[in-house]
């Protein structure tokens, strides 16, 4: 699939009526509009080109009760997929039986799997040629260690969330292009082959973009749209000169996001409940080619000091009680919230130049974008033999 056309720049800033400061609230749907249009157009073109063409199919797995936040996310995903022409199927995994289970299943439009085991259900979807993409709504309720394991059960060919370890390896090592024929290889062999391809020792074949985790990718694309990324600089260096605080260091969003931003040249303060770390781009040397593209060290600064140095602050703390203090932010800060809770104080627009209160719709757009890329990879694999470890 071709890259979406460059998103138009935000409209003129509106004036806050309180302190005569300039702040614009940007909605994620505005940022996602160009990507959604491109995805819709691509699907329609594919269906028009062949009478045998099928709509891309995404399957989601949901564990838990009907009042879970994941249920809302599943419903958003369903509506968003249907609006662009993607077939979406929700498969429910019953974690416990009670009198409300049936009603809860109907509320999200899913097909209950009864006592089916989540891992078994994912493996079946992995081998089903009618399924193009798989996602799991976390947490599953089985604990963090089991959730981390489940992320690796989803096959790379269908991992729309980009959470398979091989995709995360590519992210941390700044490997942006891959040969889809390597997806069936082990991580070690895939990385070795990638190095040989880059050195010209092996025919690289048809290179494609590596899949990235949806929410970190959504935030990076949002920063591009907002102009935080400098489009004049070369691709891969466009965050150079930016200082960004990311308050969240989860393995699904916070840490990958900090790495992506550092790989693009930014100085990142990564804030977690235990400590603050600083991510920065590694100075490339011949001896560091096999190391991650960025370096991480403990920060000597307090959170307040990090905030005052940062031109952009990104928060994702899932707690109603957590708030970033407005008076600790620098004037004109770009403030982005990706938590389901509002992490900024109510007067954030008195300090911020741009405020984005949620990222959800952009995350779903990146999920759909990843799905269409996987469909492309699957077609390549169907037409060309997979590479072997001996190549």
């Amino acid at each position: 699939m071709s890259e979406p056309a460059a998103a138009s720049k935000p409209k003129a800033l509106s004036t806050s009526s309180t302190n005569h400061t300039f702040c614009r609230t940007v909605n994620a749907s505005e940022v996602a509009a160009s990507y959604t249009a491109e995805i819709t157009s691509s699907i329609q073109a594919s269906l028009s080109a062949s009478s045998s063409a099928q709509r891309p199919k995404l399957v989601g797995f949901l564990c838990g009760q009907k009042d879970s936040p994941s249920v809302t996310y599943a419903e958003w995903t369903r509506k968003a997929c249907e609006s662009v022409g993607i077939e979406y199927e929700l498969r429910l995994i019953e974690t416990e039986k009670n009198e409300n289970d049936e009603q809860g299943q109907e509320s999200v439009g899913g097909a209950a799997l009864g006592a089916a085991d989540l891992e078994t259900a994912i493996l079946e979807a992995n081998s089903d040629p009618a399924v193009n993409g798989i996602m799991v709504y976390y947490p599953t309720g089985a604990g963090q260690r089991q959730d981390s394991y489940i992320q690796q059960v989803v096959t790379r060919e269908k991992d729309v969330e980009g959470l398979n370890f091989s995709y995360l390896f590519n992210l941390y090592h700044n490997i942006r292009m891959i040969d889809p024929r390597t997806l069936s290889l082990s991580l070690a062999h895939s990385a070795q082959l990638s190095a040989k391809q880059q050195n010209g020792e092996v025919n690289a074949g048809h290179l494609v973009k590596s899949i990235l985790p949806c929410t970190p990718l959504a935030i990076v694309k949002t920063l591009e749209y907002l102009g935080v990324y400098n489009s004049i600089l070369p691709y891969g260096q466009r965050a150079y000169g930016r200082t960004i605080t990311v308050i969240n260091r989860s393995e699904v969003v916070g840490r990958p996001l900090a790495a992506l931003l550092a790989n693009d040249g930014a100085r990142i303060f990564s804030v977690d409940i235990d400590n603050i770390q600083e991510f920065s781009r590694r100075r490339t040397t011949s001896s560091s080619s096999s190391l991650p593209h960025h370096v991480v060290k403990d920060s000597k600064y307090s959170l307040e000091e990090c905030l005052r140095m940062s031109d952009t602050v990104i928060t994702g703390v899932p707690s109603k009680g957590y708030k970033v203090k407005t008076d600790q932010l620098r004037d004109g800060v770009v403030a982005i919230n990706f938590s389901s809770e509002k992490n900024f104080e109510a007067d954030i627009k008195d300090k911020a130049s741009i405020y984005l209160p949620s990222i959800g719709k952009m995350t779903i757009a990146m999920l759909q974008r990843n799905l269409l890329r996987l469909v492309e990879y699957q077609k390549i694999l169907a037409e060309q033999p997979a590479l072997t470890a001996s190549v």
Side-chain angles (χ1 to χ4, degrees), residues 138-152 163 168 249-253:
Y138 298 102
T140 65
Q144 180 57 48
R145 289 179 64 86
Q146 185 66 14
D147 282 359
S148 297
Y149 169 71
I150 288 296
Q151 289 168 8
Q152 308 313 310
L163 297 178
L168 293 177
R249 204 185 307 135
S250 69
E251 297 301 323
V252 175
V253 182

Side-chain angles (χ1 to χ4, degrees), residues 156-157 164-171 173 175-199 202-204 207-211 381 386-391:
R156 280 177 278 184
E157 291 90 334
N164 186 279
F165 188 75
S166 63
Y167 289 135
L168 293 177
F169 180 90
N170 290 345
L171 183 158
H173 288 255
I175 299 173
R176 304 193 180 209
M177 305 298 292
I178 61 171
D179 187 331
R181 297 175 298 167
T182 67
L183 292 179
S184 60
L185 298 179
S186 69
L187 174 61
H189 287 135
S190 179
Q192 183 181 39
L193 184 57
S194 176
K196 288 182 177 180
Q197 289 174 333
Q198 292 180 26
N199 292 332
V202 176
N203 181 12
L207 294 181
V208 296
K209 291 285 187 70
S210 183
I211 301 298
L381 288 170
L387 297 181
T388 64
S390 61
V391 172

